[in-house]
Amino acid sequence: MKNRQFDKSVLPSRHVTEGASRAPHRSYLYAMGISEDEIHQPLVGVATCWNEAAPCNIALNRQAQAVKAGVKAGGGTPREFTTITVTDGMAMGHEGMRSSLASRDAIADTVELTMRGHCYDALVGLAGCDKSLPGMMMAMVRLNVPSVFLYGGSILPGKLNGRDVVVQDVFEAVGQHAAGNMSDAELDILERIACPTSGACGGQYTANTMACVSEAIGLALPNSSGMPAPYESRDAYGEASGDAVMELIARNIRARDVVTRKSLENAARVVACTGGSTNGGLHLPAIAHEAGIDFDLFDVCDIFRDTPYFVNLRPGGEYVAKDLHEAGGVMVVMKELRKAGLIHEDCMTATGRSIGEEIDMVEREADGKVIHPISNPITKTGGVVGLRGNLAPDGAIVKVAGMSAEEQVFVGPARVFDCEEDAFEAVQNRNYKEGDVIVIRNEGPAGGPGMREMLSTTAALSGQGMGKKVALITDGRFSGATRGFCVGHVGPEAAFGGPIALLKDGDMITLDAVKGEISVALTDAELEARKAEWKGPRKTQYSSGALWKYAQLVGVARYGAVTHPGGKEEGHIYMDQ
């Protein structure tokens, strides 16, 4: 055990462990085999999103044991607990996807309630799938406790005919199968081998994007996000994360000392240069909101616009998370960003050192294959672009990684659908035309409810060979695995009377990711006339339960689709109670 000094009298756990009045509380702790010395040490929450729903979460339980060993070695007493997670790959393409984004806020809420209820002094949070990563980071910033984040790791790719395959290939194979280009037997073989291990989806989809964010923003230890889930080296990072949080307690370094406007900008740079998921434009504002920092979709997109795209990852590129790890990982990426003056070096990290000091220790250079030199990027602007115009006054977002400049401009007539199911059925039946702009509305945070991802529809289009021949816009979201000209987060959403609610078949839509435009060929007067005729938001069947509550509370996508007033309105400081 390291010789660290902890002043229990200023830590939240004193309310359950100190003084004669807390004898009943201590009796519960003794009942679990905790010693007297351990009771009077800092109590550290070790939170995981472990479940048996999908491979991204299945290894978290094992990794939590390593974290607990690190906490003990560092002079603390770990208390493990779990929260929910909804795995997008399993929820995709059906009603279950409505639960996905709502689960992000439920994760933050349940971690907060557990920490508050038991007066834990610090938090190590482990997460594996899409929304569980930002949900865990939101809880850390909301509580403002000493915090370390640990990603569960990515899945290893499968092998088919000598090439790497991932779950994205399976989604796209559904479209190939429907088009008659793949047999039942070929699809059966692919689905059995695409996901051979534990871990989250291997491309630069939402999970790996937010894992990179965890390092760039400073909440995770450098290099901790890279190695795949099955690697035993993840356990070493678990132990190091447990020890690191004890150092943060000793030095009173809290989550909001780490998550600042500057560190959010660093994180947005990493999303852009890696061609990360458009969901980064939703989750970074939500994390900022927890700290009371103004950082909305337009702020994120401003950074995306002037950040070179130089990390060659799927779906726009060729490689997966394992390859990025072997090429040196996020810290080599940030070293390249620093060469162009695009990193704030004075930001604090979970190590207690600045990000600049951490980059100083990086010896490796860009390999030119997975990580290109920033002086010779794949493209000069980011792999994710923000759009704005009379069709989206609150903005929209599109991933352009892997698209040529010519492919980033699309003009065509609207083909309007009022929900994802209708659009997917039309795509399956080829009930659309080349050149159409497919519009899927009523799928926003409130209107869905839940802001579903449209991967089943976009993957089917790609599988039919139409991914570059049509465009798609929605007030819902897209998976990080989506390819093609697919614009999400169109705001205001249809449920709030945004222009997307007023579109009709045949309206001419212009999408220009080079200029940052999303517009419809209607005058302001025409839009106003349609708004006057609008009959209001579509009524959904979700009139009770968690999704009803979410729909009542959730705000607009521009500010992260958050469900409470945030850090600016905070009147109670948990750590100082």
Side-chain angles (χ1 to χ4, degrees), residues 441-464:
R441 63 189 177 197
N442 300 307
E443 294 289 3
M451 205 180 188
R452 288 191 289 180
E453 292 182 350
M454 307 295 154
L455 179 60
S456 291
T457 302
T458 59
L461 287 167
S462 294
Q464 292 175 4

Side-chain angles (χ1 to χ4, degrees), residues 413-426:
R415 178 78 169 88
V416 181
F417 300 94
D418 282 327
C419 64
E420 183 194 12
E421 286 81 2
D422 291 350
F424 183 68
E425 182 180 357

Side-chain angles (χ1 to χ4, degrees), residues 397-438:
I397 195 166
V398 58
K399 179 184 282 194
V400 297
M403 296 171 63
S404 66
E406 294 75 22
E407 292 169 341
Q408 293 181 36
V409 179
F410 199 104
V411 180
R415 178 78 169 88
V416 181
F417 300 94
D418 282 327
C419 64
E420 183 194 12
E421 286 81 2
D422 291 350
F424 183 68
E425 182 180 357
V427 169
Q428 288 288 76
N429 295 330
R430 298 286 189 129
N431 188 15
Y432 65 95
K433 296 184 181 69
E434 182 176 330
D436 280 351
V437 178
I438 295 172

Side-chain angles (χ1 to χ4, degrees), residues 50-64:
W50 178 87
N51 64 25
E52 294 182 332
C56 40
N57 313 307
I58 203 71
L60 296 177
N61 188 34
R62 183 199 91 219
Q63 295 176 26

Side-chain angles (χ1 to χ4, degrees), residues 284-319:
L284 287 172
I287 294 169
H289 177 76
E290 300 290 353
I293 297 169
D294 292 326
F295 192 67
D296 69 8
L297 177 64
F298 293 127
D299 296 312
V300 174
C301 290
D302 286 345
I303 293 168
F304 287 172
R305 188 179 303 112
D306 64 0
T307 305
Y309 162 53
F310 60 87
V311 186
N312 186 15
L313 297 171
R314 295 187 68 162
E318 302 172 71
Y319 299 100

